[in-house]
Amino acid sequence: SFAGTVQALRARRPGLLIDHELLLETADISYVHNFLAPEFADRIDAYIPGQETLARLWERTPAHHLIVANSELVKRGLVDAFALPEARIAVIYPGFDPDRFNLDAREKLRRQTRARLGIGDDVRLVGLVTSGDFYKRGLDRFLACIGQLKQSIPGLSALVVGGRSCPEALRTHPLLHTGDAIYRCSTFAPESYIAALDILLFPARYEEFGMVILESMAMGVPVVTSAAVGASEVLAKASGRCVVEPCSEEIENLCAQAARLLLLDSAQRSELGRSLSQEAARHTHGIHNERLARWVDRFAAAA
């Protein structure tokens, strides 16, 4: 049983137990990746299942127990929702694999992926890449933006990647039937699709982090998203032009920013791509582990 596994772990007298979502109530450090910040609760209509249960567990953990949040957005939500002390929450952004997501990989993969998709080099391709949950990630908002962008940018095409099958919102949309949108299911190699894009448009209603944003940045692919997405905190450091504020005009603002980036000339696109890649390079797997190790040292010193 799970309880037996936990007892066996404790019997080995480990110096430190690190877990995810407080599955181990006696863990010393717990990662929190799934959490709906109260300020954005009305955008997806519900809290994450089990969130209140987690809060009760956190209340029973020792004062030195450390919570690792994947964004300032999540940390702020934990403090606001459950009055957790800020000192107990460390923000450590997730890390990406630099061997897979980099500028050279984009150059290598871009043309061959576009050829596989039947997309010419001269076509501007805007994409939404996700593992799934198209409502949360704003597929309907993405399609609305594509419709607006096509009015001012002729020859624009859209790529939607994620899920096990084509979502109904896209399956019934005119863009798919006119050949102006392409769908592909989830893949373990998202870098190939990211490389094919001119822009990643990520209009999520809410997202705790959003790894695809960091991965796209690493490949020098411009990203447009909102501050309701945790990874926007990293993106904004490279380019404030890429992040819009959550508001009633959000979709129009996302469209406007996407249009501006699509119309950059070659030199401007290259400069932006380098800036994005350089900022992303501060958040690799290795750097993430180094940051966690520093927090572990602090934890050991305080224990």
Side-chain angles (χ1 to χ4, degrees):
S1 68
F2 183 73
T5 300
V6 174
Q7 289 180 350
L9 286 171
R10 278 298 183 192
R12 297 177 186 176
R13 298 182 182 277
L16 198 69
L17 271 181
I18 301 175
D19 86 326
H20 183 265
E21 308 296 358
L22 210 62
L23 292 174
L24 305 178
E25 292 187 35
T26 55
D28 302 298
I29 298 176
S30 295
Y31 276 79
V32 175
H33 288 154
N34 299 308
F35 180 86
L36 177 55
E39 64 184 298
F40 296 117
D42 60 339
R43 292 169 69 102
I44 59 174
D45 302 325
Y47 279 98
I48 301 296
Q51 191 156 283
E52 297 292 345
T53 301
L54 279 175
R56 289 193 292 273
L57 290 175
W58 288 327
E59 289 172 354
R60 296 202 301 268
T61 58
H64 62 260
H65 178 262
L66 180 68
I67 298 168
V68 178
N70 55 358
S71 64
E72 293 288 348
L73 183 155
V74 167
K75 177 178 179 177
R76 188 167 67 245
L78 289 168
V79 172
D80 291 347
F82 306 123
L84 293 171
E86 290 191 34
R88 289 185 60 190
I89 308 172
V91 175
I92 307 179
Y93 295 123
F96 72 95
D97 184 349
D99 292 331
R100 292 172 57 193
F101 302 93
N102 55 67
L103 295 175
D104 289 339
R106 185 188 186 192
E107 289 296 319
K108 177 182 177 182
L109 295 171
R110 179 179 172 86
R111 182 164 295 180
Q112 66 186 53
T113 303
R114 280 182 165 239
R116 192 168 71 246
L117 293 171
I119 299 290
D121 289 340
D122 59 335
V123 174
R124 290 184 176 92
L125 184 63
V126 180
L128 172 61
V129 180
T130 175
S131 57
D133 198 341
F134 286 109
Y135 177 74
K136 182 180 178 184
R137 276 61 186 253
L139 175 59
D140 56 326
R141 295 148 62 95
F142 173 84
L143 294 172
C145 281
I146 296 299
Q148 290 188 35
L149 289 169
K150 283 186 68 63
Q151 295 177 23
S152 58
I153 302 177
L156 184 78
S157 287
L159 172 66
V160 176
V161 178
R164 296 182 178 180
S165 60
C166 187
E168 183 178 1
L170 178 59
R171 189 170 61 248
T172 58
H173 200 280
L175 285 169
L176 190 68
H177 302 295
T178 58
D180 293 318
I182 300 170
Y183 169 77
R184 292 293 184 272
C185 61
S186 289
T187 173
F188 290 112
E191 60 268 32
S192 61
Y193 292 119
I194 293 171
L197 301 178
D198 291 297
I199 281 185
L200 177 83
L201 177 57
F202 197 81
R205 288 177 166 83
Y206 171 80
E207 183 69 51
E208 293 88 342
F209 186 74
M211 274 303 299
V212 68
I213 291 176
L214 188 58
E215 292 162 349
S216 298
M217 289 175 62
M219 300 185 81
V221 175
V223 180
V224 178
T225 192
S226 85
V229 174
S232 69
E233 298 163 14
V234 178
L235 179 61
K237 294 177 182 178
S239 175
R241 294 178 296 175
C242 297
V243 180
V244 306
E245 289 301 315
C247 63
S248 57
E249 298 83 26
E250 185 176 335
I251 295 178
E252 289 75 14
N253 293 340
L254 287 166
C255 291
Q257 292 299 82
R260 291 188 186 100
L261 295 182
L262 286 168
L263 295 175
L264 293 176
D265 62 32
S266 179
Q268 291 171 321
R269 285 197 302 271
S270 295
E271 181 181 358
L272 176 58
R274 285 192 298 270
S275 296
L276 294 170
S277 185
Q278 289 168 2
E279 183 58 40
R282 303 173 188 270
H283 304 284
T284 63
H285 285 326
I287 291 174
H288 172 93
N289 293 339
E290 290 172 6
R291 288 172 179 155
L292 177 60
R294 288 197 290 271
W295 276 99
V296 168
D297 289 342
R298 294 182 198 177
F299 175 91

